[in-house]
Amino acid sequence: MDSNYSAIPRNSYIELQIHDESADFDQSLKNPEYPTNLSLNSFPIFKGKDNPAVHLEPLDDEDGTDEFPLIVDHAGNGSGIPGAVFNLTTSIIGAGLMALPATTKVLGLALGFTLIILMGILSEISVELLIRFSVLRKASSYGEIVQFALGRPARIISEICIIINNAGVLVVYLIIVGDVMSGSPGHNGVMEQWLGHGFWDDRQVVIFIILVIFLAPLCSLERIDSLSLTSAASVALAVVFVVVTCVIAMIKIIEGQAEAPRWGPDIGSKKAILDLLVVIPIMTNAYVCHFNVQPIYNELEGRSPKKMNQVGRITTVLCIVVYAATAISGYLLFGEQTESDILTNFDRDNGIPFSSVLNYIVRVGYVLHLVLVFPVIHFSLRQTVDALAFKGSAPLTESRKRSLTLTVVLLALIYLASTMIPNIWVAFKFTGATTAVSLGFIFPSLIALKLNQQGENLEHGVKILSWVMLVLAVLVSIIGVTGNIYSINSQSE
């Protein structure tokens, strides 16, 4: 008896569906890389009236996970929802947290708080779109789903964006480490405060030692789920930073020592307007984690879109709370003296009991947080560089020598760049207006709209959201690039 079904291995997961071989054959003639089609009817939100595919409602266990994950996998391997949340949260909460009080200083409390929530919601929507279509096309990476929807040239562009964005973020991490441990213009470093001035507080020496002793061993790990514990520790350290900052700000407010905040942006001068144009893309940079969504999903135990969406929503709520608390308390604490890297503000007495102890806890704790975040961002950077430079080679997990070589080369280049870029504001304002907005919003919305044109029958609301994200992202990019150009010209005059 003829059948469209074939036997599957025991202990494997697969979604049952009726497969239209003739349709796939037609598509394969047009595009040899076209994968086996998976109907969006598998998702109730995308169920189309004219789609002939049979709709099978997913069966749910008591724990809320899908009985039939959409990509074949073996049970018992990977991380659970808490580990995935920690890894995704760690991908988001990093150096961007340090720049948010300065962005709030420019935007004002009301607009800053509103944008933090709005960008978090839009980012979560784009992540869910990315996951749905990644599963639909059985993609194993960000670049693959871009290629399926937009072609090989678009994939190359997206991978270049990931490389520039992630490398820029890691450079920022090292700059912050240098600011805290060795100091910056007008601010003392921890090493000098503890041990006095000497070779031990030299910026390049401190960064190099931390890179070799702490970062290199963690970056050499081959699987991202190996970083779940360090990611959990990094989130805990970020929470400590937020709590201490909020407590200090509350004490200052109660004692009447805090400056009256500005609720809206200052548009009274040319410089203020330029700062406003530059700071909006920095806000979009805060939630970019899309390059790590697929690796985290690939290693999620019992993976399914429903389960990954749960991970994304928990992560988004957590990040919004942390970001809003840090941005508001940091701005209230330091007012118009808030630096682009707020950690540098914690080098002096804040006028409260145990101020010096709390300052050390904030600064050293966040350096440790960045040390633990660094390997998570480096993981997707290394994977993307390998996919672009060694296309067609064996997976990186099967070539330990190639993995270690890439790790050493990338760390060396990131270290050199960190010694040349003056501060985190310079790095963020360019990546925020270009690569970050492309990875977080432009590519995900283009993917959804393109696959809809290929007959996936998106719901009307999803199409509208995709168009809104695309238009907003393009506007933010244009505004940011224009503001950066004018800012550079103003400084050179």
Side-chain angles (χ1 to χ4, degrees):
M1 180 177 177
D2 294 336
S3 174
N4 286 326
Y5 299 98
S6 58
I8 59 174
R10 292 175 63 84
N11 300 325
S12 294
Y13 292 92
I14 190 168
E15 183 187 58
L16 299 180
Q17 60 179 323
I18 292 181
H19 179 63
D20 186 351
E21 293 180 322
S22 61
D24 276 357
F25 178 75
D26 291 339
Q27 289 288 349
S28 66
L29 292 179
K30 300 176 184 177
N31 180 7
E33 296 179 343
Y34 184 85
T36 301
N37 185 45
L38 179 62
S39 173
L40 269 174
N41 274 339
S42 303
F43 307 102
I45 187 175
F46 289 125
K47 187 175 180 182
K49 296 179 180 179
D50 300 325
N51 197 325
V54 174
H55 174 68
L56 297 178
E57 293 288 346
L59 302 178
D60 294 338
D61 291 330
E62 292 180 359
D63 62 357
T65 58
D66 289 346
E67 187 74 23
F68 303 105
L70 293 164
I71 299 180
V72 176
D73 192 16
H74 294 283
N77 294 326
S79 61
I81 288 180
V85 168
F86 286 133
N87 278 333
L88 193 59
T89 303
T90 301
S91 300
I92 297 175
I93 299 178
L97 185 64
M98 297 299 98
L100 286 179
T103 62
T104 304
K105 178 183 72 172
V106 175
L107 296 170
L109 276 183
L111 183 57
F113 179 70
T114 301
L115 283 181
I116 287 173
I117 297 176
L118 177 62
M119 295 310 302
I121 294 173
L122 289 177
S123 179
E124 169 57 20
I125 292 171
S126 67
V127 166
E128 293 195 12
L129 284 175
L130 198 62
I131 283 296
R132 286 167 183 160
F133 292 116
S134 295
V135 172
L136 176 71
R137 292 298 187 235
K138 300 182 181 178
S140 61
S141 67
Y142 190 101
E144 279 191 15
I145 183 57
V146 171
Q147 180 173 344
F148 288 142
L150 305 172
R152 176 68 183 170
R155 173 176 182 167
I156 294 175
I157 294 173
S158 71
E159 290 177 338
I160 292 174
C161 286
I162 292 175
I163 292 171
I164 295 174
N165 184 81
N166 288 22
V169 168
L170 296 183
V171 168
V172 168
Y173 288 178
L174 294 188
I175 291 174
I176 292 177
V177 170
D179 287 345
V180 172
M181 303 307 294
S182 299
S184 60
H187 296 276
N188 297 321
V190 171
M191 298 301 292
E192 182 180 355
Q193 291 176 324
W194 282 353
L195 304 175
H197 184 65
F199 76 91
W200 49 80
D201 75 329
D202 180 82
R203 186 184 189 90
Q204 297 180 10
V205 171
V206 169
I207 294 176
F208 182 78
I209 291 174
I210 291 176
L211 190 72
V212 172
I213 295 178
F214 298 104
L215 297 179
L218 291 173
C219 289
S220 65
L221 297 174
E222 296 182 345
R223 290 174 57 88
I224 197 168
D225 66 341
S226 302
L227 299 169
S228 295
L229 291 178
T230 59
S231 294
S234 73
V235 173
L237 289 169
V239 171
V240 169
F241 167 80
V242 174
V243 170
V244 173
T245 304
C246 289
V247 168
I248 296 175
M250 287 295 295
I251 293 174
K252 298 272 284 187
I253 292 172
I254 292 173
E255 295 181 351
Q257 300 181 36
E259 297 181 15
R262 190 165 25 81
W263 290 93
D266 178 14
I267 55 175
S269 66
K270 179 181 178 181
K271 181 181 182 302
I273 294 175
L274 288 176
D275 287 342
L276 182 61
L277 293 178
V278 169
V279 83
I280 294 176
I282 293 177
M283 189 70 77
T284 66
N285 199 32
Y287 288 96
V288 175
C289 61
H290 302 64
F291 45 80
N292 264 348
V293 168
Q294 197 64 47
I296 292 171
Y297 176 74
N298 291 342
E299 297 180 10
L300 182 63
E301 185 177 8
R303 59 192 177 190
S304 68
K306 180 178 179 180
K307 201 169 187 178
M308 190 63 194
N309 288 345
Q310 184 180 355
V311 170
R313 290 164 188 171
I314 295 172
T315 299
T316 300
V317 172
L318 178 60
C319 290
I320 287 176
V321 172
V322 171
Y323 277 170
T326 302
I328 294 173
S329 63
Y331 174 47
L332 291 176
L333 184 57
F334 299 110
E336 295 302 314
Q337 281 70 50
T338 305
E339 299 282 353
S340 60
D341 175 7
I342 194 176
L343 283 180
T344 58
N345 285 109
F346 286 94
D347 69 330
R348 60 198 63 180
D349 188 2
N350 289 312
I352 65 172
F354 308 105
S355 176
S356 60
V357 174
L358 292 175
N359 285 349
Y360 285 132
I361 290 175
V362 166
R363 291 191 290 169
V364 176
Y366 208 81
V367 166
L368 293 175
H369 164 77
L370 294 181
V371 167
L372 298 177
V373 171
F374 193 101
V376 178
I377 307 300
H378 173 270
F379 178 88
S380 59
L381 172 63
R382 184 180 61 194
Q383 294 290 102
T384 306
V385 170
D386 180 72
L388 194 59
F390 300 98
K391 184 178 181 297
S393 301
L396 199 58
T397 53
E398 298 178 9
S399 177
R400 183 63 173 166
K401 181 178 179 181
R402 193 167 86 244
S403 176
L404 291 177
T405 301
L406 279 175
T407 299
V408 171
V409 171
L410 291 173
L411 291 181
L413 293 175
I414 291 166
Y415 170 75
L416 291 175
S418 71
T419 64
M420 299 168 61
I421 298 177
N423 56 62
I424 67 174
W425 202 255
V426 173
F428 270 141
K429 69 183 182 180
F430 282 102
T431 58
T434 53
T435 58
V437 74
S438 298
L439 294 172
F441 303 101
I442 293 179
F443 279 118
S445 57
L446 284 176
I447 289 168
L449 293 171
K450 184 65 176 179
L451 292 178
N452 178 67
Q453 291 178 0
Q454 296 177 1
E456 301 303 340
N457 298 324
L458 290 186
E459 280 194 344
H460 184 64
V462 178
K463 286 190 286 188
I464 292 177
L465 280 173
S466 299
W467 275 112
V468 168
M469 280 197 301
L470 180 59
V471 172
L472 287 177
V474 171
L475 287 176
V476 167
S477 182
I478 293 173
I479 291 172
V481 171
T482 303
N484 289 333
I485 293 173
Y486 275 107
S487 178
I488 292 173
N489 291 337
S490 299
Q491 293 174 4
S492 62
E493 293 176 356

